[in-house]
Amino acid sequence: MSRFEILRFALRGLAANKLRSFLTTLGILIGVAAVILLVAFGEGASRSIQQNIQQLGSNTLTVSASFAGGGPGGFAGGRGGRGGGPRTQARQLTLDDARALTDRAQAPSVRSVSPVVTANGTAAVYEGTSHTVSQLVGTYPSYFEATNKVVEKGAYFVNDDVVAARKVMVVGRTVADELFGAADPVGRQVTVSGVPFTVVGVLREAGSSGMQDADDVAIVPLPAVQQSLTGFGPLGSIIVQATGAGTTDAAQDEVTAILDQRHGIAPGGVADYRILNQAALQETVSSTIGVFTALLGAVAAISLLVGGIGITNIMLVTVTERTREIGIRKAIGAPRSAILGQFLTEATVLSLAGGLAGVLVALAGSRFPVAGIQPVVVPSSIALALGVSVGIGLFFGGYPANRAAKLRPIQALRHE
Amino acid sequence: MSVPVLSVRDLSKVYGEGDARVHALRGVSLTVERGDYVAIMGASGSGKSTLMNILGCLDVPSSGRYLIEGTDVGSLDERRLAVLRNRKIGFVFQSFNLIPRMSALANVELPMAYGGVGAAERRARALAALERVGLADRVRHEPNELSGGQQQRVAVARALVTAPSLLLADEPTGNLDTASTRDVLGIFDELNVSGRTIVIITHEDDVAERAKRVVRLVDGRIVDDRRQAPVEGAPPRARTPEVPA
């Protein structure tokens, strides 16, 4: 009997019970698609989180004030008594702190220091159009590099603008769209709290990171925002960029030493500031993502297992209820190889059709973002899902068929 | 005389173990010549079905020798046994045993497909066989669309389409009404007239009367072996089926 003949027999066998063939295929399809989609979703989530962290900047430390170590009424004058004495009050971060950090001798691992003041929810007006900018940042030009903010159109502001406290502004994509619509924002004047700012650049779109729109931002020179909005009070934070990926920990130690000294904190004492290390954060999040991916993988493995049991069940039932048919075929002279070939081909066709359809469904499904996360299909998950379900289909289609084909015809014929 | 189509020596078959042992056959010896038409009769439990299953190579004896056209069946491996079932034996079951959801034509083609006959020749021979049993107009019907008599005629067509040396029928008319019984037995008569060797199992006397030789089985032994007509020539009722029994 030729292979073509066996294939024809198998197809006829499948066509003879269309509903059962369809349900088997569907079971395999769902199993395969579920595994691929779950893994793709996990991968997509992990990539999106990593991207969000990278958006925060590379090799940076964020120093911010902390009241944990301070005494009562921690709002002390920033530039007050430096030096020693037992600390009773927490001190704010000051521009002097920031300047101290730029000391090459004491902090060789620091590449740049950007003092930051932030005004939240500031209204900006352009020709009658008003938009509340969720983050108005006053800083130095080094801030752009440290936080991976790239100007797409126009220019950055420069150190001269800071020294001269020029009222210039770099806006995020959301601000540009809200205020100017389709018009080119560069060169136009925006009024913030009655003070006119000239837009010099527009940032490249960063995308939303979590709940916050990272593009709803405006960046201006530090003195400009202090003069017009926040006053010359304490800094919100200081962004420190290390010289390289390997020096962030060294930079953190140096920053700690300088600030401890300036704020009069004894070794082992509770600091009145916090340092957020980007690299450490990334490491923590990566390991969290690892757990997350493992969890999704476990869910995927279970769905594959359940799908596999479904395939096993249908294949066993199919062969068992056709044992009599196998008996008839043997009685009229079918060799075992022909019977086994037919059932194996049936199982292969079902598994492959279901598996490939499952891959297609998964590929189609992965084009749609779920909860803001774009799934990323992992090729090895396709191979795994397809391999396991086809393997299960072949084994549990082939093994009982082989057992039935080995029976004497009369035993198979008497089977009910 | 030429090699007998079928020859069994001291055939016995035991089912079960220990106290539950049942001797279905206790030493049966039988020789069937080419062109003969043998009816094997016996009450239920006499071992006639067991004998038939062994003759059809569907089952194996516990002891004894079985030769088909001089070939010792006991010495054949699984693959050669399949070829033997395919080429030398046509089997008609009491319960038809057609494959469901396959047309009459496909059912009749099946043994030839396993025998390696080409598609075109297969179709022609299957159509001829179906025409011979009077079902030329039912070739596209599936078994569940045919009456019992028609199904049995499809089964007969399937059994004879490979031109086997031996046609075995296990109570072929047991599930049929009188008209269908007459049809099927008429076909057997014609096949025997054209030289086909037939062994049929029955417990009905009027079926047995059509055979040239009647063998009676009681408790797994042959108790009577009576010839009603010579091996050469037509079976007793051929061409005169209307004569009352």
Side-chain angles (χ1 to χ4, degrees):
Chain A
M1 235 180 129
S2 70
R3 278 175 198 192
F4 174 72
E5 201 82 54
I6 287 176
L7 179 67
R8 229 167 51 102
F9 271 41
L11 292 180
R12 190 182 281 175
L14 292 177
N17 203 330
K18 292 187 184 65
L19 181 66
R20 187 177 58 204
S21 304
F22 170 75
L23 287 178
T24 313
T25 313
L26 191 68
I28 299 172
L29 186 156
I30 291 174
V32 169
V35 171
I36 296 175
L37 275 179
L38 278 173
V39 173
F41 185 73
E43 180 72 10
S46 125
R47 286 207 190 169
S48 130
I49 292 170
Q50 253 155 4
Q51 208 178 349
N52 283 345
I53 292 174
Q54 267 157 16
Q55 263 172 22
L56 296 177
S58 48
N59 312 326
T60 57
L61 308 171
T62 306
V63 186
S64 52
S66 158
F67 303 111
F75 217 81
R79 39 202 84 197
R82 63 174 61 166
R87 265 180 63 252
T88 52
Q89 284 180 330
R91 266 167 251 197
Q92 297 287 339
L93 293 170
T94 64
L95 208 49
D96 288 336
D97 286 334
R99 286 203 188 98
L101 295 180
T102 58
D103 186 341
R104 282 262 167 258
Q106 274 189 295
S109 304
V110 173
R111 177 168 169 188
S112 73
V113 177
S114 319
V116 173
V117 292
T118 310
N120 290 319
T122 316
V125 181
Y126 168 71
E127 289 183 354
T129 314
S130 175
H131 172 68
T132 305
V133 181
S134 68
Q135 262 201 315
L136 180 71
V137 176
T139 186
Y140 285 0
S142 55
Y143 177 82
F144 291 102
E145 194 201 335
T147 57
N148 277 352
K149 293 209 188 300
V150 181
V151 166
E152 189 178 52
K153 199 189 284 180
Y156 300 91
F157 58 77
V158 292
N159 279 326
D160 279 351
D161 297 323
V162 175
V163 173
R166 282 193 194 112
K167 307 288 185 290
V168 290
M169 179 184 263
V170 174
V171 295
R173 170 56 57 193
T174 305
V175 178
D177 288 347
E178 290 289 330
L179 285 180
F180 307 101
D184 184 1
V186 176
R188 296 180 198 261
Q189 290 229 317
V190 176
T191 311
V192 179
S193 297
V195 182
F197 283 84
T198 308
V199 175
V200 294
V202 180
L203 293 173
R204 192 171 65 198
E205 193 163 0
S208 62
S209 59
M211 307 300 282
Q212 208 176 16
D213 183 0
D215 294 313
D216 193 4
V217 67
I219 301 167
V220 299
L222 180 67
V225 75
Q226 285 178 321
Q227 277 172 16
S228 54
L229 284 168
T230 61
F232 292 87
L235 297 175
S237 60
I238 301 170
I239 308 282
V240 177
Q241 188 179 24
T243 50
T247 56
T248 50
D249 287 341
Q252 183 169 1
D253 291 342
E254 291 157 15
V255 169
T256 308
I258 294 170
L259 289 180
D260 276 356
Q261 191 199 341
R262 287 179 56 80
H263 288 206
I265 292 159
V270 183
D272 56 0
Y273 59 88
R274 263 181 321 179
I275 299 178
L276 187 69
N277 188 332
Q278 207 65 62
L281 180 69
Q282 199 149 358
E283 223 164 81
T284 313
V285 171
S286 292
S287 70
T288 313
I289 290 171
V291 173
F292 181 62
T293 308
L295 193 74
L296 275 179
V299 173
I302 290 172
S303 64
L304 197 58
L305 186 73
V306 172
I309 291 172
I311 300 168
T312 308
N313 188 21
I314 293 184
M315 289 295 181
L316 283 177
V317 168
T318 301
V319 173
T320 309
E321 81 173 27
R322 288 170 73 182
T323 302
R324 199 178 147 79
E325 181 189 323
I326 291 176
I328 299 173
R329 287 177 186 270
K330 286 204 79 168
I332 60 174
R336 201 170 93 203
S337 59
I339 291 173
L340 195 56
Q342 176 187 343
F343 278 82
L344 274 181
T345 311
E346 285 187 18
T348 311
V349 169
L350 283 186
S351 319
L352 269 184
L356 291 178
V359 170
L360 287 184
V361 166
L363 289 182
S366 66
R367 300 175 69 88
F368 302 103
V370 182
I373 289 166
Q374 181 68 46
V376 177
V377 173
V378 184
S380 61
S381 75
I382 296 182
L384 179 80
L386 208 55
V388 168
S389 51
V390 171
I392 288 176
L394 278 186
F395 181 75
F396 288 101
Y399 169 70
N402 187 35
R403 217 177 39 186
K406 266 196 207 156
L407 290 175
R408 271 179 241 146
I410 195 68
Q411 290 170 312
L413 277 171
R414 283 191 186 132
H415 187 95
E416 286 303 331
Chain B
M1 201 163 214
S2 63
V3 182
V5 171
L6 184 158
S7 166
V8 294
R9 287 282 160 269
D10 280 330
L11 214 57
S12 71
K13 177 73 182 177
V14 182
Y15 291 112
E17 296 286 323
D19 290 344
R21 278 163 78 91
V22 174
H23 290 264
L25 292 177
R26 301 164 187 265
V28 170
S29 297
L30 182 70
T31 303
V32 177
E33 301 297 339
R34 185 173 305 280
D36 209 348
Y37 186 172
V38 182
I40 296 174
M41 296 196 71
S44 99
S46 60
K48 58 187 192 305
S49 281
T50 304
L51 177 62
M52 197 56 140
N53 291 333
I54 292 171
L55 294 183
C57 298
L58 305 182
D59 207 350
V60 291
S62 303
S63 68
R65 266 158 68 85
Y66 173 26
L67 289 86
I68 290 185
E69 294 190 322
T71 311
D72 188 346
V73 173
S75 68
L76 296 179
D77 62 16
E78 169 78 30
R79 199 168 49 80
R80 291 209 192 115
L81 211 53
V83 173
L84 182 91
R85 280 196 283 259
N86 188 251
R87 304 254 168 91
K88 303 260 170 102
I89 299 169
F91 208 111
V92 178
F93 300 88
Q94 179 176 3
S95 53
F96 322 140
N97 276 345
L98 297 176
I99 293 182
R101 299 194 198 85
M102 266 171 79
S103 70
L105 183 65
N107 261 292
V108 177
E109 279 188 21
L110 201 57
M112 290 184 287
Y114 288 125
V117 179
E121 190 194 341
R122 207 156 71 195
R123 168 142 307 200
R125 278 167 66 176
L127 284 171
L130 281 165
E131 192 165 350
R132 180 156 194 186
V133 298
L135 285 176
D137 55 339
R138 291 279 188 278
V139 292
R140 294 283 161 209
H141 290 61
E142 292 185 359
N144 58 5
E145 299 164 333
L146 297 171
S147 72
Q150 288 168 335
Q151 287 188 54
Q152 193 59 298
R153 282 190 275 161
V154 173
V156 172
R158 182 179 66 184
L160 62 86
V161 76
T162 51
S165 338
L166 185 60
L167 190 66
L168 298 173
D170 186 354
E171 304 221 25
T173 60
N175 288 353
L176 300 183
D177 58 37
T178 20
S180 300
T181 299
R182 205 170 52 226
D183 288 347
V184 169
L185 291 178
I187 294 167
F188 282 175
D189 281 349
E190 288 170 28
L191 288 172
N192 186 241
V193 168
S194 62
R196 190 79 63 223
T197 312
I198 298 175
V199 176
I200 183 171
I201 278 189
T202 185
H203 59 257
E204 295 164 68
D205 289 327
D206 50 338
V207 174
E209 276 170 18
R210 291 167 163 263
K212 295 173 179 171
R213 179 183 172 195
V214 178
V215 174
R216 280 178 197 279
L217 273 180
V218 172
D219 290 339
R221 287 194 184 87
I222 295 178
V223 295
D224 185 27
D225 189 347
R226 188 164 48 90
R227 180 157 292 286
Q228 303 186 132
V231 174
E232 289 82 16
R237 298 287 185 84
R239 289 187 219 95
T240 55
E242 54 283 323
V243 173

